[in-house]
Amino acid sequence: MNTPLDPRTGMPVVAMVGGGQLSRMTHQAAVALGQSLRVLAAAPDESAALVAADVQLGDHRELADLRRLAEGATVVTFDHEHVPTEHLRALEDAGHRVAPGSAALVHAQDKLVLRRALAAAGEPQPAWTEVATVHQATTFADEVGWPIVLKTPRGGYDGKGVFVVDGPDEVAGLLEQHGTLLAEERVAMVRELAAQVARSPFGQVAVWPVVETVQRDGVCNEVYAPAPDLADELATAAQELAVRIADSLGVVGMLTVELFQTADGVLVNELAMRPHNSGHWSIEGARTSQFEQHLRAVLDYPLGSTEMTAPVVVMANVLGGAAADQTWDGPGIDERVHHLMAHWPDVKLHWYGKGQRRGRKLGHVTALGAELTEVRSRAVAAARYLADGVVDPAFAFDEEH
């Protein structure tokens, strides 16, 4: 079967399921590489649909829409994991290249499948069990101690579908609402880390420095690259763990391994098989961004250098804040961007073009430098100004300008 290419350019057509900001930033990388990105978006005002030239409106849960997206594409890939696994198998059976394939992606779609695979491979993870009754949950809690963490096996992201419960009464309500759940011990962690690796069909891998991720209310707020004060041996162990998982599962494309750092090492929390929030820093902070690398990997191109462009890189998410409220009477977003660029000219902004509401990921900023405290202060101040219209006193605007 001949590899489908764009007849206008002679270059690949990458079809990406999902029209969010990950797809939008992948589109930016595709432009530089000469590749055509086709996007399946749910609505014309989704983040990627606003900028991509080839947008198909449809539902990722509908096989007919997925078949239409895949027709004539070199490869089908994803900006989220919510496509029904059986639909991916149907695309593969029809001869379409899907990356990552259904056999790999199911481990990012179903947390119970992931836990079983990690257990079979002997990889480090929290104590866990599958629970369908209150008795099963309480028996597990008696072993690991209350509180425990309950997770919906499928569909959760950004803290959704994750519940910390203190006793049987809370368990009963969640089981009634969600059915079978994954129960995990509540890990006594030092912090959260992420290890990212890209893997091509040929088996080439490339890893970035391990980063620290700062979560609030289940949502990533900041990322520090590299993770500060992380021992070289532990950083290497985390990278090797990510490579082993990518190889054993046959991942093609980006893999993010979210990790809990404990007093004894690291434990695997969850996986993402796509570009991920923990890698946004790499756009300016690495020789090859996660978005370009994902395209290289799914097309089986040689992978790019992951060398950092500065000793320290900090990414701060812009989450909808005071300026997203309908009652906001301060400067509009365009004016705030003007101020940001004037006062933090070295901070790089990525605005996603999404409707504003409290807590929503609206964009991110990235700052580079030599010392973490100073670099973080710039990134956080710039992000907070966009979100809330508030300026850190250390960066107070000059009233004369």
Side-chain angles (χ1 to χ4, degrees), residues 18-347:
Q21 63 263 24
L22 300 179
S23 186
R24 182 185 179 107
M25 288 182 275
T26 303
H27 176 263
Q28 292 172 302
V31 168
L33 297 179
Q35 297 162 4
S36 301
L37 189 77
R38 179 184 300 163
V39 175
L40 180 67
D45 61 350
E46 286 195 321
S47 186
L50 293 173
V51 298
D54 188 356
V55 178
Q56 296 188 4
L57 299 181
D59 190 330
H60 63 268
R61 297 164 296 186
E62 294 293 332
L63 180 56
D65 290 342
L66 294 169
R67 290 189 190 278
R68 179 164 47 88
L69 177 76
E71 187 62 35
T74 313
V75 64
V76 177
T77 190
F78 313 92
D79 94 334
H80 62 73
E81 291 95 353
H82 306 312
V83 181
T85 309
E86 61 271 20
H87 290 357
L88 300 181
R89 295 194 188 106
L91 292 181
E92 292 167 334
D93 290 343
H96 297 293
R97 282 188 56 205
V98 178
S102 60
L105 188 62
V106 69
H107 296 85
Q109 295 175 315
D110 191 311
K111 297 178 180 65
L112 284 169
V113 172
L114 169 63
R115 289 292 177 225
R116 294 185 191 111
L118 292 175
E123 300 292 8
Q125 60 179 327
W128 66 276
T129 192
E130 179 179 347
V131 298
T133 67
V134 174
H135 176 70
Q136 289 173 330
T138 55
T139 299
F140 177 71
D142 289 341
E143 297 173 359
V144 302
W146 296 98
I148 60 173
V149 180
L150 295 180
K151 298 180 179 180
T152 55
R154 284 181 175 256
Y157 64 97
D158 283 348
K160 298 177 176 66
V162 179
F163 313 95
V164 179
V165 297
D166 294 305
D169 292 343
E170 296 174 69
V171 174
L174 290 171
L175 287 173
E176 183 177 349
Q177 182 179 358
H178 298 285
T180 299
L181 294 169
L182 167 66
E184 295 179 359
E185 66 172 321
R186 191 177 188 186
V187 174
M189 65 176 178
V190 176
R191 56 180 168 175
E192 294 190 60
L193 304 173
Q196 286 195 297
V197 57
R199 183 178 181 276
S200 73
F202 181 72
Q204 183 187 9
V205 295
V207 296
W208 286 262
V210 177
V211 302
E212 177 179 349
T213 63
V214 179
Q215 319 284 328
R216 296 189 183 92
D217 299 322
V219 179
C220 179
N221 272 240
E222 302 168 35
V223 175
Y224 311 143
D229 303 317
L230 182 65
D232 290 344
E233 310 82 56
L234 191 54
T236 299
Q239 291 172 318
E240 291 176 344
L241 171 61
V243 171
R244 285 199 306 273
I245 292 173
D247 283 339
S248 65
L249 299 183
V251 175
V252 173
M254 286 296 304
L255 170 68
T256 299
V257 182
E258 298 181 52
L259 299 163
F260 297 133
Q261 182 182 354
T262 70
D264 300 318
V266 294
L267 302 174
V268 176
N269 177 20
E270 295 181 1
L271 303 184
M273 296 184 192
R274 51 170 170 79
H276 188 264
N277 204 162
S278 63
H280 291 354
W281 67 272
S282 64
I283 298 175
E284 288 84 24
R287 298 296 177 192
T288 308
S289 77
Q290 65 165 342
F291 299 99
E292 177 182 337
Q293 202 82 292
H294 185 71
L295 290 168
R296 289 187 182 216
V298 300
L299 292 167
D300 209 8
Y301 286 4
L303 302 182
S305 167
T306 56
E307 178 186 3
M308 291 185 64
T309 59
V312 172
V313 184
V314 173
M315 185 235 47
N317 274 327
V318 181
L319 304 177
D325 292 342
Q326 291 187 345
T327 56
W328 174 254
D329 60 0
I333 181 57
D334 183 55
E335 185 176 349
R336 297 201 306 281
V337 169
H338 273 74
H339 284 307
L340 180 144
M341 290 180 173
H343 291 278
W344 297 279
D346 58 326
V347 171

